[in-house]
Amino acid sequence: MTMKALRVKSMVIVLIMAALVLFGFPVRGEKSHEKNLVIYTPNGGELTGPVLKAFKARYPDIDVSLITGGTAVLMSRIRAEKDRPLGDVMWGGGTELFDANDALFEPYKSPEDPAFAVKDPQSRWHAYSVLPKVIMVNTVLVKPSEYPATMKDLLNPRWGEAGGVALSNPHYSGTGYAIVTALVTKYGWDFMQELLVNAKVTESSDAMFKMVREGEAPIGFINEDLGAKWLAEGAPVKLIYPKDGIPSEVDAVGIIKGAKDPKAAALFLDFVESKEMHELMRNVLMRRSARADVAPPASLAPTSELDIIMRDARWISEQQDKILKDFDIRLAKVPGILRDRLKKK
Amino acid sequence: MGDPMRGIRQENSSGDVHIREVAKRFGTTAAVNKVSIDVQNGEFLTFLGPSGCGKTTLLRMVAGFLTPDAGEIYFGQALMNSVPPWKRNVGFVFQNYALWPHMTAGENIAYGLKIRKLSRREIREKVREVLELVGLPDIETRYPSQLSGGQQQRIALARVLVLNPGVLLMDEPLSNLDVKLRGQMRAELSRLHIRLKTTTIYVTHDQMEAMTMSDRIVVMRDGLVQQIGAPLEIYDKPDNVFVGGFIGTPPMNFVDAVLAKEGDAFFVQGKGFKLRVPEGKFKDLGPYLGKEVIFGIRPEDIIDQDFYSGEPGGNVITAMVDVTEPLGSEVLLHGRFGEASIVARVNPGTRARGGEEHLLLFNMQKMHLFHKETEKAIEVQEGFTVTDLGKVKQAEKRGFQG
Amino acid sequence: MADSLKTVKPTRARIAAVIRDPWIILSLGLMAILLFLIFYPQLWIVKTSMSAETGKSLTLGNYGRFFTEYRFKTALVHSAVVSLLSLAGATLIAVPMAFILARYVIPGKQFILSLVTMSVMSPPFLGAYAWVILLGRLGILSQFLRKIGIPFGTIVGLPGIVWVISWVTYPLIFLVTYDAFCSLDPSMEEAGMSVGASRLRTNLNITLPLAMPGIITGAYMAAMAAFADFGTPVIIGGNYSVLPVLVYGEFLSEVGGSYAMASTGSVIMLVVSTLVLLLQRYYLSRREYSSVGAVRVQPRRLSPGKTVLALAGIMFVILISFVPHITVIITSFMKWQWGIVKPLFTLANYAKVWSEASKPIVISFFIAGVATLLDIVIGLFIAYIIVKKNYKGIAPGLNTLVMIPYIIPGTVLGIGFILIFNKPPVILTGTWAILCISYFVRKLPFAVKSIESSLYQVHPSLEEAAMSVGASSFRAFRDITAKLILQGIVSGGTMSFLMNITEVSSTIILYAAPWITMTIVIFTNAISAGSDFGLASAMTVVLMASVYIPLYVLNRLVRGRGGVQAVQTT
C-alpha cells in the first residue's frame, strides 16, 4: 500500500510543479478595478510624487499605479502589449518617439490643447515640456577663455585631444538622435563627420551627461534642465547656448490605444497638462513648459531668445533608418581619419 | 504478531536460488554471459574470480539492484526478474558496509523493522538480540563514524540478519578489513552460517576466503562460469588452465610440452626435460600423442631431490635456480629449465642457491594436462588414486640446517 | 557474441516497466519543462535573428550586418578584449594568492577565506561606481595622485572595465584554485624534489600543471562572467562599447533598435560562450589527471619576515576588493541632489529607502526566495536522476539541458523570455512570475551541480542497503539520500538565493512595475544622470546586508554541524 501511495504522491508533485511553472502564477492585470489607472512614465519621484498627490486629492476614487522606467523600455513594453494593453497613459517621451509609434496611441482632443504652441495634427500626443540640448563644459578641465561660442567651435581638434566631445549614439538615445538630426539639418553630414572625429560616442544619454560632469570628457551636450539643476547644486559645469542654433526636443503625454480605463486616462491627461501642473513641473524640474502661458524657470533665458534648430518632422521619422545608417558610415570612418592625421604629423 | 515480514509481501519462502542463462551487458562489454547456477537451500556458495569477472554484477542481479538483460532468476519457484529489491527478502552486505552515517548503530538495525511496522518494543528486543548474536551488545547508540571497521562490519551484518532474510548476499564484505581482523571475521561468518543455516551467496576475489568458508565455489572469469565445485575438488581437479592458475599460491606451473610415447609409457617432453606420465592417470591420451599440450604442476608437487629418499629414477630435471625465497616453513625456488620458468615449494633446508643448478623431482602423480588450444583439462581416469611418493630424509634435513 | 546477448524482452513488458517507474515519468516531465524554458527561448532568438524587416522569409542578412557594421564589429572585439584582459588580471591576483594560502602557514587563514568568499557576492554596479568616484578623471584618488606628481588620467574606459571585472571575478578563480592546490597529492611534489628539482622548479613544473584543470575551470567562469557583464561597462566603460550593453541598447532603444539585431547579437554571444565552453571541456578532457590525494598537503612555515610580507600582500588584495563596499557605505550617508554629492552627513537616503523603496526589498526577497525554492526542489530531482538513474538518453539529456543556462548571458536569457512569453499561450511579460522563472532557470545549473556533487558523495550502496532491507526506491531516497545531502542543499540553496537577489542582467530586461527589485532600484538610480545616487547607495547597503548576513549564518551553521559525519566516501 505504501508503494502505491508514494507513487501517487510523486505524480501529484510532478503535476503541481508543472502547473506552478506553467499556469499557476497569478498574471497581473487579470482582476480589473473599475477606476484603476496605470501610468507609464520615465519621470522620477520628484515630479510624480507631488503630481499624483494633487491628482489623488482631486479624484480620490481613482487608484493610480505608476510604472516607471526608461522611455525606450516603456515604449517597447507598450509595443509588446499592443494586443493586450496593460497601461493607460504614457507620460513623457519625445514627440518623435510618439510619431514613430503612432499606432500605439489613441487620438484625444483635450480642452488644454489650445494653450500649446506645438501640436500633433492627429492629437495622439500632447506636448508637455521643451528640452533644448545645450553645450556643457567641465569647468575643471576647460578654462573660460577656451569656451566655445558656437556648434562650429566644437570642430576644433583641440577638443578631440582634450578628451573628446561627449555625444550619445542616436541608435540608442533619443537625445542623441535629436542632436544629430538638428546638426545635420543645420550643417550637413560633412560637419557631422568632422564632429565625430572629435567625439566620444556613448551608448546612452545618461553616459554622455555624466561624462562631462565627471570630467571624463571636457565638453558635451546636455538637456538644459538637468544642466541647470547641476549648476544650481554647484557641479563644476557651465552651460553654453551656441549662437548658431540649439537642438531641441519636445516631450509629450498620450493615451495608450486600447486603454482599460480611457475615461480616467483622459482625466489624468487633462490634469497633468493643466497650467497649475505645468507650473509645478517647471518649479520642480527647472524645465521649460510647452504651454505658451507658463514662463520658463527664472534662471533660464526666455524661450524666445533661444535659436532652436527646426527639423523636418517627416524627415526625422520617415528617414530614420537612413539617417542612422549615414551616421554609422561616418562613425566607422573615424579611426581611419585619425590614423591619416597621425601619419601627416 | 512478531512476524518480521509484516508489511512486506514475501516473494520467497524457500532459500534456494536458481540462475538461468542470465546475461548482462554494460555498453559493449558482456559483464555476465549466460550464466546458470543453482544454489541449494542453506548452502554457502562463493562467486570467486578476478575483478571484472562479473561476480558482483551477478550478485547484484540476484539482489535486484540490476535487471538481467536476458535469462531468469528464481527464488524457489518464484520468478524474480521484475521484483524490486525491497520485495525480495534478501539481505545484502556491502563491501563498504554502507551503514547510514546519520543513524546510530541501533537505528541502522531498526530501520528495516520500522519499515515492516513492528512495534517499538518488538524492535528494541530484536535489535538487542541481534547485537548479541554479532557480539556487540553495548554499541547501540553509537554512530558508524565512532565504530571500528570490524564493528561496522558486524553492524552491517546485524542489520540484515535481524530481518531473517531468505538469502544472504555478501559482496566482498571482508576486503576493507586488515588481515588479522579478516581472519577473525571469516571464522565468525562460518560460525554464523552453521548456526543460522541461511542460504548465502558470497562474492570475493580472495581464494583463501572462498576455500575456507564455502560449501561450493563458482569460479568466474570474463562473465563466464569456469567451474563449480567444492573447494578441494576445484583445487585438485581444475577444469581448465585458468582455474588451475587462479587457485593456489603460488599458482600452478604451466609448461608447454609435447606428448610422446615410448613403449607403453607416455611422456611429456620439451626442451631439456622429459617426464613420465603415471600409468592410468588419464582416461585416454591416445588422441593427444605427438600433439602440443600444457603440462601443469603445483609448486608443492616439485620436490628438492636432496630430500627425497624413495626409489631413484626418472622425473628429475636439472633446473637453473634464479632466486630462492625463504619463507621460514618452506622455500620458494624460482628456476628455469629449457624455456620454462617454474616455482617450487621446497624444504627449508635446501642447498639450492641463486645462479646454481639444482636437481628437482616432479611428483607426476599430481600432474595436470591441458589441451593446448582450448586450455581445457584432459580427463582424468575415474578412481585414480595418488600413491605416496616416498619418505623425505628427515636426518639430512637437519644436517643441512647446520 | 554480442548479438547472442540481444534482449528479447517483449515490448509490452517494457512499457509496463516504464509506467511502473515514477522516476521515468518525472524525468520526462522535467525534460519537457526544461525544453520549454531553456531551449525554446533560444530557438526563438535564433528565429528572430533570421527574420527580415519586411516579409516573413528567413534570412542571414542580419548576421551580414553584424559582421560588417562598425558598431557591432567593434563591440564584439571589445568584448573579447575585455574578457581576455580581465581574465588575465583575475588570474594574476587569484593564483599566487591561492598558492600562498594553500601552501604556507598564514595566520587568520579561515578569516581570509571567508572574506574572499564574501567578495564573490559583490553587489552589482557597486565596484564600478566606487572606482569612478576614486579613480575617474576628477576622482578623489586621481586628484591626490596628480598632486604628488603622478600624471594619472582616468580609469574610465577599457582600463576601468578590466580593473573592476578583475576584482569582481578573481574570487571565482581563487576558490577553485585554492582547492586544487590543497588537494594535490604531496607525493607528486616530493617525487619532483627527489629527482633534484628545486622547490621553485617543482612548483612551476609539477604543482602548477597539476592544478591547471582547477585553474582553467575557475578561469572559464571568470571569463564568462566578464563576457556577460552588463553593469560594469555601463557605469565605467565611458565610450568603450561592449556586446551585452549593445544588445541591451538594441533591444530597448528609444530610436532605431530592432529585436532582430538584438537577437543576432544574442546569438553571437551564445555562440561565443558555447565555443569557449567547448574549448574548456576539450582542455579538461585531455588532462584529467585526478591526482587528488587522500593526504592533504601540510602547509609549510615561513620565516616571520616572509609571513608578514605574504600577509601584507593578501591584506592588500582583500582591501582592494572591499574598496567598493566601503565607498558605497560612505556615499550612502552623504547628501545627494540631482546626482551631485554634497559633503554633508545625512540619514536621508535610508529614510528614503524606508519610505519609498521598502517594497522592492520585500519583492526581491519574495521573487528570489520562490525561485530558489524551485531551484532546490527541481534541482534535487534532476540531480538525482542524473546521478542515480541510468535512463538512456534522458539522464544525459537532462544533464546537458540543465547546463545550458550556464552559457546563456543574462541579457540573452531575458530577451528570449520576452520573445516567447509576450504572446499566447503563456503570457508572462510584466508579471513577477517571469522574473521568478528567469532566476530559477539561470541558477538551476548551480543548484543541480551542487546537489549533484553532494549526491556523488553519498555512496549508492547506502540507498541499496535501504532497499535490501525493504525500503522502496522512493522511501530509500527520502530516508537516506535526501537526509544526507541536506547540508549540501542548504548551502547550495543559500548561494542560489544570494545570486538571485543580486541578479541584474536579465532583470533589467524583464522587470516591470510594480515588481521592482532592489537591483532595479539601484540600477535606475545609479545609471540615470540626474537621479538620486544616495538612494542607490543606501539600497546597495541594504542589499549587502541581505547577502552577507545569510552568508554568515550559513557559515556558522555549516561549521557547527561537524558532529555527525554527513557523507561517507569509500
Side-chain angles (χ1 to χ4, degrees), chain B residues 60 69 90 99-100 111 116, chain C residues 7 462 464 468-469 479 568:
Chain B
R60 290 167 61 77
D69 291 339
V90 295
L99 292 181
W100 302 306
Y111 182 69
R116 287 160 176 76
Chain C
T7 49
L462 290 179
E464 285 169 356
S468 83
V469 299
D479 289 354
Q568 179 169 356

Side-chain angles (χ1 to χ4, degrees), chain B residues 76-358:
Chain B
Q77 305 290 312
L79 178 64
M80 283 290 130
N81 282 35
S82 54
V83 177
W86 52 94
K87 287 186 188 167
R88 292 196 183 193
N89 191 28
V90 295
F92 201 103
V93 180
F94 295 84
Q95 182 177 8
N96 60 2
Y97 324 133
L99 292 181
W100 302 306
H102 59 306
M103 299 184 190
T104 62
E107 286 164 353
N108 263 281
I109 298 169
Y111 182 69
L113 300 170
K114 252 184 223 158
I115 289 172
R116 287 160 176 76
K117 297 204 165 72
L118 265 65
S119 74
R120 259 199 220 158
R121 221 193 51 228
E122 285 172 308
I123 291 177
R124 208 177 313 138
E125 243 162 57
K126 280 184 176 290
V127 168
R128 203 171 301 144
E129 248 169 56
V130 79
L131 277 171
E132 224 142 86
L133 181 72
V134 297
L136 290 172
D138 305 319
I139 59 153
E140 208 181 319
T141 55
R142 291 214 223 142
Y143 283 96
S145 56
Q146 301 166 305
L147 300 176
S148 72
Q151 288 171 324
Q152 291 188 35
Q153 182 56 273
R154 283 169 213 225
I155 296 300
L157 198 60
R159 183 172 67 185
V160 299
L161 290 180
V162 77
L163 303 173
N164 197 14
V167 183
L168 189 56
L169 306 174
M170 296 201 241
D171 184 12
E172 310 223 14
L174 306 185
S175 61
N176 279 11
L177 299 176
D178 61 49
V179 179
K180 210 174 138 202
L181 212 54
R182 211 178 295 171
Q184 272 177 31
M185 282 303 292
R186 227 162 41 211
E188 202 156 316
L189 284 181
S190 294
R191 230 180 351 259
L192 271 174
H193 181 247
I194 290 166
R195 189 165 150 195
L196 301 173
K197 281 270 160 249
T198 310
T199 309
T200 304
I201 305 179
Y202 189 98
V203 159
T204 183
H205 63 271
D206 181 336
Q207 45 167 309
M208 169 102 88
E209 284 174 20
M211 297 295 281
T212 52
M213 297 160 72
S214 322
D215 293 323
R216 283 194 303 156
I217 297 174
V218 178
V219 183
M220 293 183 68
R221 177 206 193 185
D222 295 342
L224 292 164
V225 171
Q226 302 291 313
Q227 189 170 0
I228 304 180
L232 281 179
E233 189 185 337
I234 284 182
Y235 187 81
D236 287 334
K237 289 182 192 164
D239 273 355
N240 56 36
V241 171
F242 172 77
V243 175
F246 188 73
I247 294 189
T249 33
M252 184 184 281
N253 296 296
F254 297 106
V255 180
D256 283 335
V258 172
L259 198 69
K261 195 175 185 186
E262 273 176 31
D264 282 345
F266 284 95
F267 291 87
V268 280
Q269 195 174 353
K271 213 176 197 178
F273 68 95
K274 183 176 174 190
L275 297 163
R276 182 175 176 158
V277 178
E279 221 170 298
K281 174 156 176 117
F282 295 97
K283 247 185 188 163
D284 183 14
L285 286 178
Y288 301 97
L289 192 60
K291 298 234 170 90
E292 282 184 60
V293 290
I294 298 169
F295 158 57
I297 186 139
R298 292 202 181 272
E300 60 265 37
D301 298 326
I302 305 175
I303 296 152
D304 185 342
Q305 171 74 9
D306 293 343
F307 292 85
Y308 178 64
S309 61
E311 291 289 303
N315 298 342
V316 173
I317 56 114
T318 308
M320 183 67 191
V321 180
D322 285 329
V323 69
T324 56
E325 298 175 339
L327 297 177
S329 64
E330 65 207 28
V331 170
L332 292 185
L333 184 156
H334 296 258
R336 279 177 287 130
F337 62 90
E339 283 162 354
S341 299
I342 52 152
V343 179
R345 189 195 294 253
V346 298
N347 191 290
T350 184
R351 284 182 306 179
R353 293 291 173 270
E356 293 172 8
E357 292 192 328
H358 201 80

Side-chain angles (χ1 to χ4, degrees), chain C residues 8 50 57 59 113 187 194 230 244 320-321 386 411 487 513 561:
Chain C
V8 269
M50 286 168 42
S57 59
T59 165
L113 286 177
S187 61
S194 77
F230 170 82
I320 299 264
S321 57
I386 292 173
T411 322
Q487 195 178 314
R561 267 172 143 236

Side-chain angles (χ1 to χ4, degrees), chain C residues 123-125 360 364 439 499-505 507-508 516-526 539 543:
Chain C
F125 305 120
S364 271
Y439 291 178
M499 289 189 274
N500 283 338
I501 210 167
T502 52
E503 214 276 359
V504 177
S505 47
T507 313
I508 51 165
I516 307 272
T517 64
M518 283 195 261
T519 49
I520 290 301
V521 171
I522 298 169
F523 174 74
T524 47
N525 284 294
M539 189 53 110
L543 183 60

Side-chain angles (χ1 to χ4, degrees), chain C residues 70-114:
Chain C
Y70 179 72
R71 70 200 149 107
F72 297 114
K73 267 193 304 188
T74 32
L76 181 60
V77 174
H78 285 179
S79 275
V81 170
V82 162
S83 307
L84 289 176
L85 290 182
S86 319
L87 173 60
T91 311
L92 283 178
I93 302 164
V95 174
M97 182 160 144
F99 183 80
I100 291 171
L101 272 174
R103 289 315 171 85
Y104 298 104
V105 178
I106 302 289
K109 187 177 283 188
Q110 284 312 316
F111 182 63
I112 294 170
L113 286 177
S114 29

Side-chain angles (χ1 to χ4, degrees), chain C residues 280-321:
Chain C
Q280 184 236 11
R281 286 284 150 92
Y282 175 72
Y283 174 87
L284 286 186
S285 72
R286 294 193 32 184
R287 39 196 93 191
E288 204 55 71
Y289 304 125
S290 89
S291 59
V292 176
V295 201
R296 287 225 139 193
V297 179
Q298 210 52 43
R300 296 192 309 122
R301 283 197 178 282
L302 281 169
S303 68
K306 280 183 181 169
T307 308
V308 169
L309 206 67
L311 208 56
I314 292 166
M315 279 347 260
F316 177 74
V317 168
I318 301 272
L319 182 74
I320 299 264
S321 57

